[in-house]
Amino acid sequence: MSKTASTASRTRKKSTKKRGAISAPSKEKGAAPDISNSTAALKYLIEGRLDLERTRVSRLRKTEFKLDRMKALVKALGDPQNDLRIVHVAGTKGKGSVCEMVSSALGACGYTVGLYTSPHLVDVRERIRVGGEMITYPAFAKAMQSCAEAAAKVEKRHGPPTYFELLTALALKHFADQAVDIAVIECGLGGRLDATNIIHPDVVAITQVSVDHTDVLGSTLPEIAREKAGILKKGVPAITIEQEPSALEAMNEIAEACGATIETVGKDIDFSYRFEATPKYGPHTCVCLNTDRSAFEHLVVPLPGEHQALNCGLALAVLDRLRGLGFETPETKVIQGLEGLSIPGRMELAFQTPRVLLDGAHNASSIKALMRSIGAHVPYDSMVVVFGCSEDKDIAGMLEHIALGADKIIFTRARGNPRAIDPHDLQRQFSEISGKMSQIEETLPEALTTAAQAVGREDLICVTGSFYLVGEAKKHLASLQS
């Protein structure tokens, strides 16, 4: 596919509306506020807005998950998603990593890539990037103005858009305005009724599916897999990695019902990986993926951990399918794009003395993978884990894996997460499954101070359990170094 032709074929929509400071909505029904800067945009996004990411599980209603309002919102925006080539990624764990790898590789191949992920760690603009750069403050305000005007048109019939719906619409609008060559879109919660599922993608990918968000997605693995597979579309190439048999069977049921076909990396697509250590890269994983179109041989996985090898294989399969759709993804350029890739909040060494590693693992399978990754890639004498999580998680499963890897645990909670479980409850549950030392600190800064006092030069502090906790840790550690 010609990058010049694909870009030129899109028209950029420019607003001529004069913008001033944000003001209260007009008394006239359907009027939108006037948004002139990012502060006003953020105020509009947050104030009085339902944020499902922060809503307590007991208050969540399945009726909040529907696509009618989102479809109306993007229609009022002019359906910007219809101007985009799209990769859509769902799954329980690894979807953010797959999105980052696909985006980075496509960027190295010469494409202008829009990337939409969630959640953010420090700045909400992290979720919306073009060419690896966060959306600018003026562009954020401009796109939010458009979304506010669209929301005013649909609120009477459909109610006010949620926080995530607005951000999703904003991202699609911004990517269309920027005439990106392709957008990589990460699902939020589930898939079938997720706000992102109003797009028609070119390729669909589903990462590892495991038990999570059971109050909303279902209590069994097949139920959750069906929700994730809800992003499949008739005739659209779909790829996944090897799953539990019951999950894969459920996904295939959905595929058959909608006229899609799922290919599995490692089964339908030739794929292998191995762990090794070399002087140049140290301990790392290499992958190979071969099809009739592509030959990715002995490619070094940029992110540590065996699970990232599987995510990398899925990303390479996506790039191969895009090649079949006319995108140029030469192996040498893909390798360049993946080399040196790092993702904030995922195995991130954020502080040196003492060493503090941050990882947003937030379910049992992710914690298990994290503990294995640290053991394989990070040398240490003793590890103190600072842990806090949301109330709707498989807490027992998470604690079991923490107990296997940590020498000491400090339980705390993120200040900005209303769904955070009380650390006293965490310690009580932990004492039932492990005799390892643990204690409680009510705030993250106090937990980090206590952890620092407990470690020596060769020891490690790991902060995990929640992206909210990791984001708060990043802010706190940055303040100490400024």
Side-chain angles (χ1 to χ4, degrees):
M1 184 185 76
S2 167
K3 293 186 281 293
T4 303
S6 68
T7 302
S9 67
R10 303 185 186 91
T11 57
R12 302 191 183 197
K13 302 171 184 177
K14 295 184 178 180
S15 171
T16 57
K17 177 177 173 64
K18 184 178 179 181
R19 312 197 195 294
I22 189 170
S23 58
S26 164
K27 290 183 180 179
E28 179 187 352
K29 282 190 176 183
D34 197 23
I35 298 171
S36 63
N37 55 51
S38 61
T39 301
L42 192 60
K43 181 178 180 181
Y44 173 79
L45 175 66
I46 293 174
E47 286 193 355
R49 193 74 55 188
L50 177 62
D51 184 352
L52 298 174
E53 296 173 7
R54 295 176 182 267
T55 303
R56 289 186 176 276
V57 176
S58 58
R59 297 177 185 172
L60 278 179
R61 299 192 306 270
K62 289 190 177 182
T63 53
E64 297 293 351
F65 298 91
K66 54 188 177 182
L67 293 179
D68 291 350
R69 181 170 54 226
M70 188 64 197
K71 289 177 181 177
L73 181 62
V74 291
K75 183 177 181 180
L77 280 170
D79 283 317
Q81 75 280 2
N82 293 340
D83 294 331
L84 302 171
R85 306 291 299 273
I86 295 174
V87 174
H88 201 191
V89 183
T92 304
K93 68 172 185 175
K95 54 186 176 176
S97 297
V98 170
C99 287
E100 296 277 0
M101 285 190 265
V102 170
S103 175
S104 185
L106 285 171
C109 292
Y111 294 98
T112 301
V113 185
L115 178 62
Y116 178 57
T117 60
S118 60
H120 63 276
L121 295 176
V122 177
D123 187 331
V124 69
R125 297 179 304 124
E126 296 167 24
R127 301 181 183 221
I128 303 166
R129 284 171 274 164
V130 172
E133 298 295 326
M134 288 191 296
I135 183 173
T136 63
Y137 289 113
F140 184 70
K142 178 182 177 182
M144 189 63 80
Q145 177 70 63
S146 297
C147 289
E149 292 167 1
K153 296 176 182 178
V154 305
E155 284 182 356
K156 182 177 180 180
R157 180 173 181 181
H158 297 281
T162 67
Y163 178 92
F164 188 72
E165 287 169 345
L166 276 175
L167 282 176
T168 301
L170 190 153
L172 296 171
K173 169 67 174 168
H174 180 62
F175 295 158
D177 285 348
Q178 293 297 305
V180 300
D181 295 310
I182 189 166
V184 181
I185 307 291
E186 178 187 354
C187 260
L189 181 64
R192 181 175 65 93
L193 297 177
D194 185 73
T196 63
N197 202 27
I198 46 81
I199 61 178
H200 191 85
D202 292 79
V203 180
V204 164
I206 301 178
T207 66
Q208 189 71 53
V209 175
S210 57
V211 176
D212 200 10
H213 298 296
T214 54
D215 293 80
V216 176
L217 301 182
S219 58
T220 68
L221 193 58
E223 287 177 324
I224 294 170
R226 289 186 186 96
E227 289 296 317
K228 303 291 184 182
I231 69 168
L232 300 178
K233 304 290 187 297
K234 182 178 181 179
V236 175
I239 315 160
T240 189
I241 59 176
E242 293 197 60
Q243 309 274 358
E244 289 289 333
S246 63
L248 191 57
E249 182 180 352
M251 290 162 60
N252 280 321
E253 288 174 6
I254 299 299
E256 185 177 355
C258 75
T261 302
I262 303 179
E263 292 185 286
T264 302
V265 175
K267 181 181 177 183
D268 305 306
I269 301 171
D270 184 24
F271 172 74
S272 62
Y273 65 93
R274 72 172 186 272
F275 182 82
E276 62 184 25
T278 63
K280 181 177 181 180
Y281 295 107
H284 65 278
T285 308
C286 278
V287 299
C288 298
L289 184 138
N290 291 280
T291 72
D292 293 339
R293 291 179 292 264
S294 306
F296 297 106
E297 295 285 351
H298 307 295
L299 189 149
V300 175
V301 178
L303 305 172
E306 180 180 333
H307 62 295
Q308 293 293 4
L310 301 176
N311 292 333
C312 187
L314 185 56
L316 295 176
V318 169
L319 294 166
D320 171 74
R321 293 303 177 264
L322 288 173
R323 180 179 289 190
L325 297 173
F327 286 81
E328 298 172 10
T329 57
E331 287 82 356
T332 54
K333 294 293 186 182
V334 169
I335 291 170
Q336 289 175 18
L338 294 181
E339 278 184 345
L341 174 67
S342 62
I343 306 176
R346 293 174 176 87
M347 287 285 287
E348 177 187 2
L349 192 60
F351 208 82
Q352 292 292 339
T353 308
R355 290 186 300 162
V356 182
L357 184 144
L358 308 178
D359 193 279
H362 55 281
N363 55 50
S365 56
S366 296
I367 292 290
K368 178 182 179 181
L370 171 62
M371 294 297 107
R372 293 181 65 177
S373 297
I374 291 174
H377 296 276
V378 185
Y380 64 89
D381 287 342
S382 179
M383 179 167 64
V384 177
V385 172
V386 176
F387 182 81
C389 67
S390 296
E391 62 185 3
D392 60 330
K393 300 298 179 179
D394 175 13
I395 295 170
M398 297 174 80
L399 293 178
E400 286 175 6
H401 295 304
I402 290 287
L404 293 175
D407 295 287
K408 178 181 179 180
I409 301 92
I410 301 174
F411 294 112
T412 188
R413 72 173 111 195
R415 185 182 298 112
N417 182 12
R419 293 163 50 206
I421 189 170
D422 189 315
H424 293 85
D425 291 336
L426 285 174
Q427 188 183 52
R428 187 160 44 251
Q429 292 188 48
F430 184 73
S431 65
E432 295 174 359
I433 64 174
S434 174
K436 285 192 175 180
M437 184 185 304
S438 70
Q439 67 185 90
I440 294 169
E441 294 293 353
E442 293 296 334
T443 69
L444 178 69
E446 290 172 327
L448 286 172
T449 298
T450 299
Q453 294 169 348
V455 298
R457 184 172 182 177
E458 303 302 321
D459 297 334
L460 180 69
I461 299 170
C462 174
V463 181
T464 190
S466 160
F467 276 110
Y468 298 104
L469 198 69
V470 166
E472 190 174 327
K474 279 184 70 70
K475 289 181 184 178
H476 180 70
L477 294 172
S479 71
L480 297 179
Q481 299 177 89
S482 61

